[in-house]
Amino acid sequence: MAQDNFRIAVIPGDGIGKEVIPVGMTLTDQAAAICGFSVEWTEFDWSCDRYVEKGSMMPDDAIEQLKQFDAIFLGAIGWPTVPDHESLWNSLIPMRRELDLYANIRPVRLLKGIESPLRGREAGDIDFVVVRENVEGEYSSIGGRLYGGTEQEQVSQLSVFTQRGCDRIMRYAFELAKQRPRKLVTSATKSNGIMHTMPYWDERFKAVAAQYPDIETNQFHIDILTAHFVQHPDWFDVVVGSNLFGDILSDLGPAVTGSIGIAAGGNINPERVYPSLFEPVHGSAPDIAGKGIANPIATVWTAAMMMAHLGQKDCEALLMSTIEAALQDPAGRTADLAGQATTADCQAVLSRHLASNA
Ligand code: IPM
Ligand code: MG
């Protein structure tokens, strides 16, 4: 029998994370009821507020606790009261590593009802996925500072690219491309300027590509690739990049499709040994937090990805058609989409469309 109840850990986190996560939960519950299953949410207060209050972002056994769930739904981590490297390296980054969430999947799609800042692009013209390596590369704790406070002060930081790490993210990208109509994988590199890791990345890309003769490939250095994202977003299908390059590309991609306020993401453990973690791309947004104006659509799209990962494809389809309907309804448009709706207005519009779509 298909699973009909899912246990999901919820970490609203900081800033607008706390405002958009409840919308994601409500819409998911509403869609799940229609699709005939239920979700049991267990909320954790792991955040910068907790750090200020208790001295740590999360308890020592946090990761062990998370392992008990089917999935993890996270809002955003980071707040000006705690240095970012301190808050992130004691929460999200260890979660990604210890749960082996090595594939960060961020879809970039121009949806109906959204105007791209690029002239002449219609819904459907932009449709690609950024596949970001999520546990190694430039995000490394190896390094340090020497002669601090003297004239010889120096810092160094080591990037780490392993064969296993490169190959498995590239294989993920090729497997994803196989399921998509275009069948193209683009690699983000910088082997003209970075002399060891990036030529190695290219070497592994070539080796992995050889195992997928039916998939077309190309590669660009990251600098011109960012220009192509703006000038030729229609050139891309699946784009695979290292941790840092993927990070940058997955902000730029959604920006060219209208707003980072709709960008969804999943941190995936493809082998399903551990629960995968789903979070919108936008972050805690201190500039607008507390005002009730954050766009909850990224979170609802993120919830849709989570439902798909849990095998609930009908629920994913229902949430996605709800988002598309809501985006065409000016009453639900938040400021990032040039509207005046509050988070609550947008939730009401989503909820109404969901009920009538079902
Ligand atoms: C993201 C974020 C994080 C990252 C930060 C908050 C550490 O920008 O998920 O894209 O760089 O991975
Ligand atoms: Mg980022």
Side-chain angles (χ1 to χ4, degrees):
M1 204 183 92
Q3 193 173 343
D4 60 3
N5 180 263
F6 295 91
R7 295 187 64 236
I8 297 181
V10 186
I11 308 167
D14 298 302
I16 64 167
K18 289 188 278 205
E19 300 169 38
V20 292
I21 282 289
V23 183
M25 290 162 67
T26 304
L27 268 290
T28 303
D29 282 338
Q30 197 183 336
I34 293 164
C35 297
F37 66 93
S38 59
V39 177
E40 187 187 327
W41 308 96
T42 305
E43 212 164 309
F44 297 95
D45 69 349
W46 306 342
S47 60
C48 291
D49 282 352
R50 186 188 190 278
Y51 184 99
V52 169
E53 209 180 293
K54 302 190 178 152
S56 64
M57 294 295 296
M58 50 188 207
D60 291 344
D61 66 347
I63 309 264
E64 285 311 307
Q65 289 191 47
L66 291 177
K67 287 181 183 167
Q68 311 307 314
F69 292 89
D70 293 312
I72 305 157
F73 194 36
L74 182 143
I77 303 272
W79 196 247
T81 48
V82 184
D84 280 337
H85 65 275
E86 178 76 17
S87 56
L88 272 312
W89 275 87
N90 286 293
S91 59
L92 181 59
I93 292 179
M95 286 177 204
R96 287 176 175 168
R97 283 158 196 243
E98 289 168 44
L99 300 173
D100 208 17
L101 307 172
Y102 64 83
N104 195 328
I105 306 309
R106 294 177 165 177
V108 176
R109 215 181 300 156
L110 181 54
L111 298 178
K112 268 197 225 107
I114 295 210
E115 207 183 321
S116 164
L118 308 178
R119 232 177 314 118
R121 304 285 177 183
E122 305 293 332
D125 289 353
I126 307 176
D127 183 356
F128 62 90
V129 184
V130 176
V131 173
R132 165 186 176 186
E133 201 295 318
N134 211 30
V135 294
E136 58 172 48
E138 305 87 347
Y139 284 49
S140 148
S141 52
I142 301 182
R145 182 185 301 235
L146 280 176
Y147 303 110
T150 74
E151 272 178 13
Q152 296 102 314
E153 185 167 73
Q154 55 166 285
V155 296
S156 60
Q157 166 119 32
L158 193 70
S159 293
V160 177
F161 287 73
T162 65
Q163 184 175 123
R164 174 170 176 262
C166 293
D167 287 18
R168 65 184 183 172
I169 195 64
M170 290 169 182
R171 273 198 307 271
Y172 189 98
F174 280 96
E175 291 295 332
L176 180 63
K178 257 189 182 169
Q179 298 160 27
R180 295 172 54 91
R182 270 296 272 286
K183 312 215 182 305
L184 165 66
V185 178
T186 301
S187 164
T189 184
K190 188 61 196 172
S191 45
N192 56 353
I194 309 279
M195 86 162 273
H196 296 297
T197 54
M198 283 297 138
Y200 183 67
W201 174 271
D202 294 354
E203 191 183 308
R204 294 321 306 163
F205 186 67
K206 211 169 154 202
V208 175
Q211 295 159 24
Y212 294 90
D214 299 337
I215 307 287
E216 203 189 322
T217 59
N218 58 11
Q219 64 182 54
F220 295 105
H221 295 305
I222 187 71
D223 44 357
I224 191 65
L225 181 55
T226 60
H228 290 334
F229 264 36
V230 175
Q231 293 181 306
H232 309 287
D234 51 303
W235 283 2
F236 303 104
D237 179 19
V238 175
V239 181
V240 66
S242 64
N243 210 334
L244 180 62
F245 291 173
D247 177 47
I248 296 165
L249 294 174
S250 58
D251 269 21
L252 180 59
V256 304
T257 59
S259 170
I260 189 96
I262 59 161
N267 298 255
I268 310 292
N269 174 241
E271 291 73 27
R272 296 175 183 261
V273 175
Y274 302 117
S276 290
L277 182 155
F278 296 82
E279 51 163 350
V281 177
H282 51 56
S284 62
D287 53 332
I288 60 159
K291 297 186 180 158
I293 57 166
N295 189 344
I297 289 186
T299 301
V300 178
W301 187 345
T302 298
M305 287 179 72
M306 179 163 70
M307 293 303 114
H309 181 80
L310 295 174
Q312 297 295 334
K313 301 271 185 206
D314 291 351
C315 185
E316 177 202 25
L318 179 56
L319 288 170
M320 288 313 294
S321 61
T322 299
I323 289 172
E324 296 216 47
L327 284 171
Q328 290 170 76
D329 184 339
R333 235 168 258 160
T334 44
D336 56 304
L337 296 173
Q340 276 153 18
T342 62
T343 307
D345 295 335
C346 184
Q347 172 171 351
V349 168
L350 284 161
S351 199
R352 184 156 43 76
H353 284 290
L354 202 162
S356 62
N357 255 343

